[in-house]
Amino acid sequence: MSTYTEDKRKVTTHRLMEMKERGEKISMLTAYDYSMAKIVDEAGIDSILVGDSASNTMVGNVTTLPITLDQMIYHAKSVVNATKRALVIVDMPFGTCSGNPLKSLEAAIRIMQETGADALKIEGGKEIQEDVKKIIDAGIPVMSHLGLMPQSINKYGTYTIRAKEDKEAKKLIDDCLLMEELGAFGIVLEKIPAKLATRIAQQVKIPVIGIGAGGGVDGQVLVIHDMMGINKDFSPKFLRRYADLNTIMTEATQHYIQDVKGNDFPNENESY
Ligand code: KIV
């Protein structure tokens, strides 16, 4: 199958904005390592998110909280090494951007300098506006993450849909407008009502990327282990599985075990 786009130019934050302006949807997937990033980049994905979901998918933690700045830098560097075209965005992990602008900037600079990534993603609204401003003022592109914010799981106690009530919806809209005003180049909206997400995408000029936020936004992001069917334990309504790699890899492993045990591998052609 050919790649979706023949345009081999590097994707920039500016080009994401142009895509929104001409109504072209933006595709984004997570990746955390060299091999996976190389596949999705060569397939033509617009943006790769080195999400702190690495804490779940790569380490097996229950939440995103335990992943550290050093670990995010390790994953991000691996992804950057593989990526030629896609815009690489890296999550600032829990605790690195929480009301101390100088400390936040220090962490942001470390990610940018040590990985070569293109941009950062930061969870949170008004409460961390000074941190976001400081980072953007230093010339680092920031994508905001609002709606369901997995780093705040201990505050809310549940991963259920956010902003269903008017008060929370209003705060979400205010936060989106604020992030745009501060200079964020985009917003990820996670698990909120589709109507509200559509309204926000129409209200702001910057691209809005949804996950569980319906089809009326400017682009979509999914966690690669979920959409490829590697992780079968997570089946929210918003998830579409595009492959069943779990079954393919299980069968391949069993086939290999059988061949080794049966003395069928390696054969003469596979030997020196
Ligand atoms: O960490 C992550 O993978 C994310 C996406 C769910 C948007 O933040």
Side-chain angles (χ1 to χ4, degrees), residues 135-238:
I135 293 169
I136 293 175
D137 286 352
I140 299 172
V142 169
M143 173 165 261
S144 170
H145 181 149
L146 295 162
L148 175 66
M149 292 179 280
Q151 289 177 11
S152 302
I153 180 62
N154 292 326
K155 178 173 169 189
Y156 295 104
T158 165
Y159 289 109
T160 193
I161 182 166
R162 309 297 321 174
K164 270 173 87 175
E165 310 302 328
D166 286 353
K167 193 173 162 205
E168 198 183 338
K170 179 169 182 330
K171 174 168 167 27
L172 177 61
I173 294 169
D174 289 347
D175 279 343
C176 289
L177 294 173
L178 174 64
M179 288 299 149
E180 178 175 42
E181 196 186 312
L182 291 174
F185 73 87
I187 301 169
V188 165
L189 287 181
E190 181 164 356
K191 220 171 175 186
I192 64 163
K195 260 191 184 170
L196 176 61
T198 303
R199 189 178 145 197
I200 292 170
Q202 287 165 353
Q203 227 173 322
V204 298
K205 290 199 172 61
I206 54 178
V208 173
I209 311 295
I211 173 163
V217 291
D218 307 305
Q220 299 293 327
V221 58
L222 284 175
V223 169
I224 196 158
H225 288 68
D226 301 335
M227 62 79 77
M228 291 290 185
I230 296 172
N231 168 24
K232 286 181 147 180
D233 301 333
F234 182 63
S235 299
K237 181 180 171 184
F238 68 75

Side-chain angles (χ1 to χ4, degrees), residues 28 30 32 49-54 56 64 72 91 121 123 145 150 188 190 210-211 221-224 238:
M28 183 188 287
T30 67
Y32 320 97
L49 172 66
V50 187
D52 60 358
S53 51
N56 314 107
T64 57
M72 286 303 296
D91 256 337
K121 175 164 81 58
E123 286 186 23
H145 181 149
V188 165
E190 181 164 356
I211 173 163
V221 58
L222 284 175
V223 169
I224 196 158
F238 68 75

Side-chain angles (χ1 to χ4, degrees), residues 7 19 34-35 74 92 97 105 116 124 129 154 160 201 239-240 243 257 268:
D7 188 348
M19 289 168 80
Y34 177 86
S35 304
Y74 170 84
M92 288 199 67
C97 192
L105 179 61
Q129 63 175 312
N154 292 326
T160 193
L239 175 64
R240 187 181 293 181
I257 295 168
E268 258 182 43

Side-chain angles (χ1 to χ4, degrees), residues 32-64:
Y32 320 97
D33 67 274
Y34 177 86
S35 304
M36 202 79 94
K38 195 163 188 306
I39 291 170
V40 296
D41 185 54
E42 288 177 355
I45 201 83
D46 295 315
S47 178
I48 298 177
L49 172 66
V50 187
D52 60 358
S53 51
S55 177
N56 314 107
T57 56
M58 304 301 285
V59 192
N61 292 318
V62 176
T63 73
T64 57

